[in-house]
């Protein structure tokens, strides 16, 4: 075996096709591979959401061809209640793990973190390659559950016990489906742990000359902070998944209590604890939501600064706030368990830090708004999606204040209110972060520009569409609409069906708007106008290297950094922006050292 | 750093990476990061153990004597010391001595694993399995075997690492630094055991 622990990336440029494009050690190729995987996952996840939405709006509507996916799950092309839940679980799992974690963190982080720090590559390229391929395998293990046994698990992306741990008596997919789910996620954890290891060592150890920590762009900081969270969060989810697998295959009973009766059948399990799963899962789960959003915060800041032609009000306050989010994210996880039967004192103990964590979030938002105020922002697809990110993050964050209080959450827990909350603040916001990053960095990743008119159309349809879909969720939740129902037959739910129909229509239109993006992406990749090395006149290191960046990122001369990453509109400077590599002496008292 | 100084270095060729900004080289840092992640993994498992132990009514206390676990602990602690001697020797450049002490450490690891397996065998002979035991709630043996098994896995991995790194160090492929990094791991495995003993053994000692 090749020496995997060999540090520092002095590997030469690869020559064979396999080494170049498949089992590549180059962080840029790996970043693109992650992006492609996330794109595929997002398309599958979106298709699943369409099927669910159609079913929720028009329960008897036959979707042509659906029986091909599962003849038992969709007889006559109409979903069975169980199969609805199975698709829902796959939608959530695919989106949270393989899109929102993979794209902003692993894809963009891999491509740009080493470049922005001025490194030739990550210190452990073999780990990096493994990280992608392990994730890839994890993805197909999950997808495989569509096609074996009685289909994928129906337990939801949170996989609460005891349902997840009792096996086939729990319903279709609760046997093999759960085992595949837990295996997939455990594998995914390994991939992210390897990635985090590389990200942290790259940031701390591989910076080029002159690149002090404070001279790192906000994106690099965001990826660094995210990888620190990833390192401990995934390390807890992995053993949790393994315990869950043991409950299935080894006859243990970690997550099932004694004398549980399901379908008039007393289960043989005894002694375990159902709450234990929730503790282990949310100890991972809450940091995970910040793993999904913090890279987006970095991307949005980076994009806005370039388009405002001025730095944020405070570079450091943004960094410290993101770090505070990371630290606090471990102390709040119990806010998902207010209604779980957990000791009410614990509820209070988790409610307090949950309210505290809104402070750094608010500071980040105020930093953006304060910096935007009075700036001459250039409007393009990337900056529009950044503004959209901020808008979604605020709208979804506000509902967090309500959920954070146990007395209110008792009403709202497990309703569409929560679904609205996290789709806006995490789902859509993080997606917008991915879009902003894509429009912004596409010219560096491919050498070509994406179409601006298509990008703007994509933005407006998505922006308006997302609000049309997810704002009514809050109303539904307050009206008592429980989440994870596949039909609304109770008296108090029937009047809400028109709202669901409206949401479904909005979801289909917004979904098709995403196809504009996919078209734009593929078309521009081959036919887009060829761009220069620095189309946005940016200052950080990715803009001072060639497009596409050479194998070792910088060619014959490694960069030397003289400035902080955001020297725009500096008085007395020779141009409107001073690149990090420019030796020009400028007189800016606010510059980071 | 003066401007002139920076420009001077600016013309170095590719590959002349500046000295790592932190004094910790990447490999050692990676080991520390692994240790942090692994600490979280063990903490998660021990939390699960405590949580279920508290929630169980018929939690057993099947251990009658601490002799075996005391001997195991002593061996593991001693092996940390021998590792220390090995690392010091490697840093001083005394290859044969370093190699000898690393191998002694590995032998201690094997001894520990053997004693541990013997104890497992004894419990299994009494009827304990991953999902059943004669003393009380089945969760006891589930958690006992999972946690000590995870630790045993770490010890086994550590022994393999010690031998591989030791031999390659002897052969000149690895340096003193690599010995030190392996040492970090070994001490960590030792430290984890110091949490396992009171929580998993001493708390379950029959009065
Ligand atoms: C302003 C700060 C925030 C507060 C106070 C807050 C509070 C909460 C609370 C209390 C819940 C549990 C509701 C329930 O299940 O009854 C919740 C759910 C959730 N939050 Fe937040 N949140 C905040 C920001 C965020 C952010 C930034 C993200 C993601 C990037 C996020 C993602 C989620 C998700 C995914 C769930 C639901 C998970 C599920 O049950 O499936 N939240 N939030
Ligand atoms: Cu949370």
């Amino acid at each position: 075996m090749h020496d995997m622990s060999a540090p520092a990336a002095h590997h030469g440029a690869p020559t064979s096709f396999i080494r170049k494009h498949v089992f590549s050690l180059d962080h840029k190729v790996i970043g693109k591979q992650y992006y492609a995987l996330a794109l595929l996952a997002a398309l599958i996840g979106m298709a699943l959401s369409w099927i669910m939405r159609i079913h929720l709006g028009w329960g008897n509507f036959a979707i042509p061809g659906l029986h091909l996916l599962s003849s038992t799950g969709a007889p006559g092309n109409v979903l069975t209640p169980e199969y609805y839940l199975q698709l829902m679980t796959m939608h959530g799992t695919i989106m949270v793990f393989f899109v929102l974690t993979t794209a902003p963190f692993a894809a963009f982080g891999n491509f740009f973190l080493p470049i922005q720090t001025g490194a030739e590559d990550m210190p452990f390229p073999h780990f990096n390659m493994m990280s992608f391929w392990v994730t890839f395998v994890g993805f197909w293990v999950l997808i495989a559950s569509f096609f074996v046994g009685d289909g994928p698990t129906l337990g939801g992306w949170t996989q609460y016990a005891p349902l997840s741990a009792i096996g086939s008596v729990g319903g279709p997919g609760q046997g093999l489906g759960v085992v595949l789910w837990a295996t997939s996620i455990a594998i995914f954890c390994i991939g992210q742990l390897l990635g985090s290891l590389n990200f942290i060592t790259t940031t701390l150890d591989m910076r080029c000359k002159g690149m002090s920590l404070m001279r790192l762009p906000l994106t690099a900081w965001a990826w660094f902070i995210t990888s620190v969270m990833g390192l401990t969060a995934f390390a807890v989810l992995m053993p949790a998944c393994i315990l869950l697998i043991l409950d299935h295959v080894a006859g243990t009973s970690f997550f099932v209590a004694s004398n549980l009766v399901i379908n008039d059948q007393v289960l043989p399990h005894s002694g375990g604890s159902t709450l234990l799963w929730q503790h282990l899962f949310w100890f991972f789960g809450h940091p995970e939501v910040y793993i999904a959003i913090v890279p987006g915060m970095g991307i949005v800041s980076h994009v806005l600064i370039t388009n405002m032609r001025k730095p944020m009000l405070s570079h450091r306050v943004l960094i410290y706030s993101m770090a505070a989010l990371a630290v606090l994210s471990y102390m709040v996880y119990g806010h998902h368990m207010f209604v779980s039967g957990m000791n009410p004192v614990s509820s209070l103990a988790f409610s307090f830090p949950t309210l505290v964590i809104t402070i750094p979030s608010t500071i980040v938002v105020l930093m953006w708004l304060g910096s935007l105020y009075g700036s001459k922002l250039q409007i393009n697809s990337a900056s529009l999606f950044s503004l959209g990110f901020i808008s979604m993050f605020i709208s979804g964050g506000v509902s967090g204040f309500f959920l954070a209080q146990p007395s209110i959450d008792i009403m709202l827990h497990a309703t569409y209110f929560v679904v609205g909350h996290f789709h806006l603040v995490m789902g859509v916001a993080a997606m917008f972060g991915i879009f902003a990053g894509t429009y912004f960095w596409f010219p560096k990743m491919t050498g070509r520009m994406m179409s601006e008119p298509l990008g703007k159309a994509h933005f407006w349809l998505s922006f308006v569409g997302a609000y049309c879909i997810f704002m009514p969720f809050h109303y539904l939740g307050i009206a008592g609409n429980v989440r994870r129902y596949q039909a609304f037959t109770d008296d108090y739910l029937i009047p809400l069906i028109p709202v669901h129909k409206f949401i479904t229509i909005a979801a289909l239109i917004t979904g098709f708007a995403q196809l504009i993006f996919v078209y734009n992406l593929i078309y521009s990749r081959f036919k887009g106008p060829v761009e220069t090395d620095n189309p946005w006149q940016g200052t950080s290191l990715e803009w001072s290297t060639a497009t596409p960046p050479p194998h070792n990122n910088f060619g014959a001369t490694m960069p030397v950094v003289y400035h902080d990453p955001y020297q725009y509109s500096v008085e007395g400077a020779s141009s409107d922006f001073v690149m990090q590599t420019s030796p020009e002496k400028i007189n800016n008292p606010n510059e980071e050292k | 750093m003066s401007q002139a100084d920076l420009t001077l270095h600016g013309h170095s060729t590719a590959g002349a990476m500046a000295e790592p900004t932190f004094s910790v080289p990447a490999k050692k840092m990676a080991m520390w990061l692994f240790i942090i992640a692994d600490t979280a993994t063990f903490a998660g498992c021990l939390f699960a153990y405590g949580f279920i132990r508290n929630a169980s009514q018929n939690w057993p206390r099947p251990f009658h004597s601490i002799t075996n676990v005391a001997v195991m602990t002593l061996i593991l602690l001693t092996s940390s010391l021998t590792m220390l001697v090995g690392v010091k020797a490697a840093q001083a450049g005394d290859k044969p001595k370093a190699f000898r002490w690393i191998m002694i450490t590995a032998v201690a690891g094997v001894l520990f694993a053997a004693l541990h397996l013997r104890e497992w065998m004894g419990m299994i002979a009494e009827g304990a399995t991953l999902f059943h035991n004669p003393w009380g709630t089945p969760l006891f043996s589930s958690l006992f075997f999972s946690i000590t098994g995870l630790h045993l896995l770490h010890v086994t991995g550590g022994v393999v690492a010690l031998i591989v790194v030791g031999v390659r160090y002897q052969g000149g492929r690895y340096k003193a630094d690599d010995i030190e990094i392996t040492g970090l791991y070994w001490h960590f495995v030792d430290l984890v055991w110091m949490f396992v003993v009171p929580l998993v053994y001493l708390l379950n000692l029959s009065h």
Side-chain angles (χ1 to χ4, degrees), chain B residues 75-85 105 183 186-188 190-191:
Chain B
I75 291 175
L76 210 54
L77 276 176
T78 316
S79 79
S80 256
L81 282 179
T82 56
M83 188 73 224
L84 217 58
V85 179
T105 310
W186 192 255
H187 296 315
F188 167 71
D190 191 3
L191 187 69

Side-chain angles (χ1 to χ4, degrees), chain A residues 559-570:
Chain A
V560 175
V561 164
Y562 300 94
H563 296 292
D564 91 1
Y566 302 123
Q567 291 305 308
Y568 292 100
S569 314
V570 182

Side-chain angles (χ1 to χ4, degrees), chain B residues 31-43:
Chain B
M31 181 50 79
W32 276 112
L33 296 173
F34 170 80
I35 288 175
I36 292 173
D38 217 25
T39 304
T41 300
F42 272 110

Side-chain angles (χ1 to χ4, degrees), chain A residues 44-130:
Chain A
I44 297 175
M46 189 171 72
L48 293 174
S49 76
W50 286 346
I51 302 174
M52 293 191 298
R53 273 319 316 175
I54 292 172
H55 184 77
L56 291 178
W58 290 269
N60 297 321
F61 187 86
I63 302 169
L66 196 57
H67 70 277
L68 296 176
L69 188 57
S70 165
S71 52
T72 47
N77 291 331
V78 177
L79 293 182
T80 60
E82 293 81 4
Y83 207 60
Y84 170 85
L85 292 174
Q86 293 172 281
L87 296 189
M88 178 204 77
T89 304
M90 293 300 270
H91 165 78
T93 308
I94 289 174
M95 288 302 200
V96 171
F97 291 97
F98 292 96
V99 181
L100 298 186
T101 310
T102 306
F105 176 60
F108 286 132
N110 255 304
F111 199 103
F112 287 106
L113 181 64
I115 302 183
Q116 289 188 339
T117 56
E120 284 172 66
D121 201 324
M122 301 222 175
F124 306 101
H126 284 92
F127 280 172
N128 207 17
M129 175 185 76
M130 267 167 64

Side-chain angles (χ1 to χ4, degrees), chain B residues 10-31:
Chain B
H11 296 290
S12 61
T13 49
M17 184 74 60
E19 287 291 299
T21 348
F22 275 63
S23 49
V24 186
K27 259 190 189 180
K28 197 185 284 178
M29 190 183 294
M31 181 50 79

Side-chain angles (χ1 to χ4, degrees), chain B residues 149-164:
Chain B
L150 185 63
H151 183 262
L152 192 56
L153 210 64
H154 279 74
V155 172
T156 315
V159 169
V160 173
L162 283 171
I163 293 172
V164 170

Side-chain angles (χ1 to χ4, degrees), chain A residues 157-158 160 282 286 289-290 292-293 335-336 338-339 354-355 357-358 361 393 396-398 400-401 403-405 409 412-414 418 421-422 425-426 483-484:
Chain A
W157 79 280
T158 52
Y160 274 10
W282 287 118
H286 192 86
V289 306
Y290 284 92
I293 206 70
H335 65 215
H336 295 274
F338 288 153
V339 194
T354 304
L355 288 167
I357 205 174
T358 61
S361 313
F393 188 73
V398 166
F401 286 88
L403 297 172
Q405 300 162 60
D409 187 57
L412 296 175
H413 178 71
V418 176
H421 161 68
F422 73 73
V425 76
M426 173 164 85
R483 71 193 275 201
R484 295 178 178 168

